[in-house]
Amino acid sequence: MFKNKKFLLLTVLAVFSLVLAACGFGGESSDDKSKDDGKDSGSSETASAKELNLIVASEPPAMHPGLATDTTSGALLQNLFENLLSYDVDGKVVAGAAETWDISEDQLTYTFHLRDSKWTNGDPVTAGDFEYAWKWALNPENASEYASLLYPIQGAEAYNLGEGAVDGVGVKAEDEKTLVVTLAQPTPYFLELVAFKTYAPLNQKVVEANTEWYTDAGADYVTNGPFVLDTWKHSDSIVLKKNPEYWDAANVALETINIGMVENESTTVTMFKNGEIDYLGSPYGSIALDAIDGFKADGTLKTANYAGVYWYKLNTKDKITGNVNIRKALTLAIDRQGLIDNVAKGEQKPALGMVPSAISGFEEDRGYYKDNDIEGAKAALEAGMKELGIKDPSEINIKLSFNTSEAHAAIAQYIQENWSKNLGISTTLDNSEWQVYLEKLNQLDYQVGRMGWIADYNDAYTFLEMYNTAANGNNDTGWENAEYKKLLDQSIVEADPAKRLELLKQAEGIAVSEFPVAPIYYYTNLYVQKDSVKNMKPDMLGNIKLKYVDVE
């Protein structure tokens, strides 16, 4: 259902479980990717005026809610724009541009009632701004990669695929303060989706007058969130300022947010230790692996649950990994806790299922298999070898592929040792640059390949949907199962939350028993911050709403 999501998540996870993004610290304005840095030399604000200094790794690829697919852009956009619904400091859905909303008894019609709020150019924010933005994202000519997140809306998929008309999309501004949305089918997580960046509003007058409105700071970069894009020095720095016209401005403490761009992780650690930045950790930079132990030792390292999973995909069309018992052996023979303790060091959790424990309803261990189950792995290997006519484990050589990264290489080497010691098989490590690597997975030109997945909303469906068919663009394993797909399809229309949760768990159980993926660990977010920084922590989706942050 939700296509084109791979690009985002692969970009997000191009490094370790920490979403390793190196950052550079800039001068007075900045262009960045999804982070915040440091100092605006042209600003008259001082630390006493509530300044926050952050970093990001690079230039944000798309400062447009309908085009952004990366975490860098997303980190900024969620503080510049406000959706109908938003998140509080703990990641709970709360009112945003909409003050209240109603849901029909059949759960197909959502009516949002907007509060009085303004764009930064003084225009009122209207229901029509949301209708326009959502239909803009769905317009196939605009090539919005996250348009599929709007597919629960009636007629949205058909319009986006060029098979229907825009008039058939179930979004209508009945008046300036009332937006009525009609869904194609009940979608229990729809309110979570409404808080996602692709659902942000656009000022139609501005967008149609200047198609490049989002490429620079200035009068045309019109937003409705708690902060405004004050300056943007491309590939150097970005400065955000408090939006005095924001409806809840009285409860926004920060006046200035300086965001620099620094790529080297060791440099960013030094900057934090020297007091040049106030916070270090996703989505505003990341902690270098060799610095984690030091921050642990001095008690400053903080950990937050993160709804993401690091896993190895297995090519079910390959002669060797196409055997379910071989896949089972490879999965069971991994010492996840040892990997976390000795390599990752980020206090991650061993993944014993496909859905992270940070997702609602999946907090407990589902008991599908044990970590480092050597006896079970050996039994599965023996059964698989018999089925394939292989007499000795030494005849098996697995190619383990990953995209170029010291972190991914370190994980692969550890698992290579696990498989050699526990199963007696050999492993060839195969690393490729990102785009080449993605193409290998796409073409099933691999045996075992690493990947990560992070939730866009708090629901298990986002982790399970990609394997509903082999044709799903995010599958990359060749695996499909009719009963699995049936359960997912049933979960879409099931209105009872408890019954729907059970359907999703049954589906997960089927997939885990056939091992198209070998889950490795569930992500955590590691971060450090100055004692003076308050209410700044990533929620389970990795978001940080800066409107709640204060600096003493």
Side-chain angles (χ1 to χ4, degrees):
M1 177 176 174
F2 297 144
K3 60 180 182 179
N4 294 328
K5 200 162 144 197
K6 175 191 292 183
F7 174 80
L8 166 66
L9 294 173
L10 305 184
T11 300
V12 170
L13 299 172
V15 262
F16 222 154
S17 84
L18 312 177
V19 188
L20 302 173
C23 296
F25 202 74
E28 71 181 33
S29 10
S30 140
D31 209 324
D32 159 271
K33 217 174 190 166
S34 81
K35 319 268 168 184
D36 252 291
D37 149 54
K39 310 220 171 176
D40 175 11
S41 60
S43 171
S44 61
E45 302 292 341
T46 65
S48 62
K50 304 286 189 180
E51 285 196 17
L52 182 70
N53 297 318
L54 305 171
I55 54 167
V56 290
S58 60
E59 179 86 353
M63 289 283 281
H64 186 310
L67 296 176
T69 60
D70 65 292
T71 51
T72 300
S73 301
L76 299 174
L77 290 168
Q78 67 181 299
N79 293 295
L80 292 166
F81 289 83
E82 182 161 84
N83 294 23
L84 292 168
L85 304 182
S86 185
Y87 293 107
D88 66 12
V89 69
D90 296 316
K92 303 295 185 184
V93 173
V94 295
E99 196 165 23
T100 60
W101 55 94
D102 307 311
I103 305 173
S104 64
E105 187 174 346
D106 62 6
Q107 300 184 45
L108 291 176
T109 303
Y110 287 66
T111 304
F112 296 93
H113 306 282
L114 276 65
R115 68 175 77 248
D116 290 332
S117 60
K118 294 181 180 180
W119 290 99
T120 49
N121 67 353
D123 292 344
V125 177
T126 69
D129 295 323
F130 287 92
E131 178 181 357
Y132 171 75
W134 298 6
K135 290 180 177 178
W136 187 97
L138 288 168
N139 186 337
E141 294 182 3
N142 294 325
S144 173
E145 293 195 48
Y146 259 165
S148 54
L149 287 179
L150 294 155
Y151 283 5
I153 299 171
Q154 185 180 77
E157 182 173 11
Y159 174 50
N160 185 236
L161 298 178
E163 300 169 356
V166 65
D167 291 343
V169 178
V171 180
K172 182 174 177 56
E174 291 203 342
D175 54 48
E176 287 200 347
K177 294 294 182 66
T178 309
L179 185 74
V180 178
V181 184
T182 304
L183 304 186
Q185 56 206 6
T187 305
Y189 49 88
F190 185 66
L191 293 180
E192 293 270 354
L193 291 177
V194 170
F196 189 73
K197 59 178 173 283
T198 312
Y199 283 74
L202 294 174
N203 187 302
Q204 182 174 357
K205 178 178 67 177
V206 171
V207 173
E208 293 185 344
N210 177 13
T211 58
E212 300 298 312
W213 66 272
Y214 60 95
T215 60
D216 213 341
D220 284 344
Y221 199 87
V222 176
T223 60
N224 72 320
F227 298 95
V228 301
L229 182 61
D230 183 68
T231 51
W232 182 359
K233 187 175 179 182
H234 292 281
S235 299
D236 179 54
S237 61
I238 280 178
V239 176
L240 307 183
K241 295 282 189 178
K242 180 177 177 177
N243 178 6
E245 298 299 325
Y246 179 59
W247 67 270
D248 199 26
N251 292 312
V252 177
L254 296 175
E255 295 289 342
T256 303
I257 303 166
N258 303 303
I259 304 168
M261 303 173 196
V262 181
E263 186 173 0
N264 186 279
E265 293 167 14
S266 297
T267 301
T268 63
V269 170
T270 300
M271 291 172 68
F272 178 79
K273 291 181 176 179
N274 289 343
E276 298 172 67
I277 55 177
D278 302 318
Y279 175 97
L280 180 60
S282 179
Y284 298 104
S286 59
I287 301 173
L289 293 179
D290 59 6
I292 292 175
D293 287 341
F295 286 129
K296 280 184 180 179
D298 65 21
T300 58
L301 187 72
K302 299 179 184 295
T303 306
N305 285 335
Y306 198 13
V309 59
Y310 190 104
W311 53 26
Y312 278 177
K313 296 193 173 191
L314 297 110
N315 182 356
T316 64
K317 300 303 180 183
D318 178 80
K319 178 180 178 181
I320 302 298
T321 54
N323 181 277
V324 66
N325 278 306
I326 297 295
R327 298 198 300 272
K328 180 178 181 179
L330 295 174
T331 301
L332 298 185
I334 297 172
D335 181 3
R336 292 161 178 78
Q337 192 61 58
L339 171 68
I340 292 166
D341 293 341
N342 298 296
V343 181
K345 298 184 179 181
E347 301 186 23
Q348 299 88 345
K349 298 178 181 179
L352 303 178
M354 295 172 66
V355 180
S357 54
I359 292 294
S360 297
F362 284 76
E363 294 86 356
E364 81 288 353
D365 176 12
R366 275 82 74 197
Y368 298 126
Y369 53 83
K370 295 187 297 182
D371 182 27
N372 197 29
D373 182 3
I374 308 305
E375 294 306 313
K378 288 180 177 178
L381 178 65
E382 183 177 351
M385 287 171 39
K386 183 176 181 180
E387 291 163 353
L388 294 172
I390 297 173
K391 296 183 179 180
D392 191 89
S394 62
E395 298 177 36
I396 298 177
N397 184 292
I398 299 295
K399 180 185 284 189
L400 176 52
S401 301
F402 51 92
N403 56 294
T404 303
S405 155
E406 289 184 11
H408 298 325
I411 292 173
Q413 290 163 8
Y414 185 90
I415 291 176
Q416 178 187 42
E417 294 174 4
N418 281 182
W419 289 345
S420 174
K421 176 184 176 181
N422 299 332
L423 299 177
I425 66 175
S426 59
T427 306
T428 300
L429 303 185
D430 168 48
N431 78 317
S432 306
E433 292 304 316
W434 185 237
Q435 294 301 330
V436 174
Y437 178 69
L438 291 185
E439 186 62 21
K440 282 185 178 181
L441 263 62
N442 235 335
Q443 300 299 321
L444 296 183
D445 181 21
Y446 78 102
Q447 286 184 301
V448 180
R450 62 81 32 192
M451 193 51 63
W453 200 257
I454 293 175
D456 291 324
Y457 50 92
N458 187 359
D459 193 89
Y461 191 79
T462 187
F463 291 93
L464 302 175
E465 175 270 338
M466 74 188 80
Y467 299 106
N468 61 355
T469 70
N472 188 304
N474 294 317
N475 188 325
D476 292 334
T477 68
W479 180 83
E480 60 184 5
N481 179 290
E483 182 61 22
Y484 177 87
K485 185 178 187 305
K486 179 181 176 181
L487 289 167
L488 287 186
D489 290 344
Q490 289 174 348
S491 77
I492 294 174
V493 298
E494 177 55 64
D496 184 286
K499 292 180 180 177
R500 180 175 178 275
L501 185 63
E502 183 57 33
L503 291 170
L504 292 170
K505 289 183 177 180
Q506 289 177 30
E508 182 189 35
I510 289 174
V512 170
S513 70
E514 297 191 8
F515 301 95
V517 296
I520 308 298
Y521 58 70
Y522 300 137
Y523 284 104
T524 54
N525 257 328
L526 301 185
Y527 62 99
V528 290
Q529 62 184 28
K530 288 183 180 178
D531 291 340
S532 58
V533 177
K534 306 301 179 184
N535 297 326
M536 187 169 184
K537 65 176 183 177
D539 65 25
M540 55 85 69
L541 296 177
N543 301 315
I544 296 180
K545 291 289 188 178
L546 297 175
K547 69 172 285 186
Y548 301 112
V549 176
D550 198 357
V551 177
E552 292 183 345

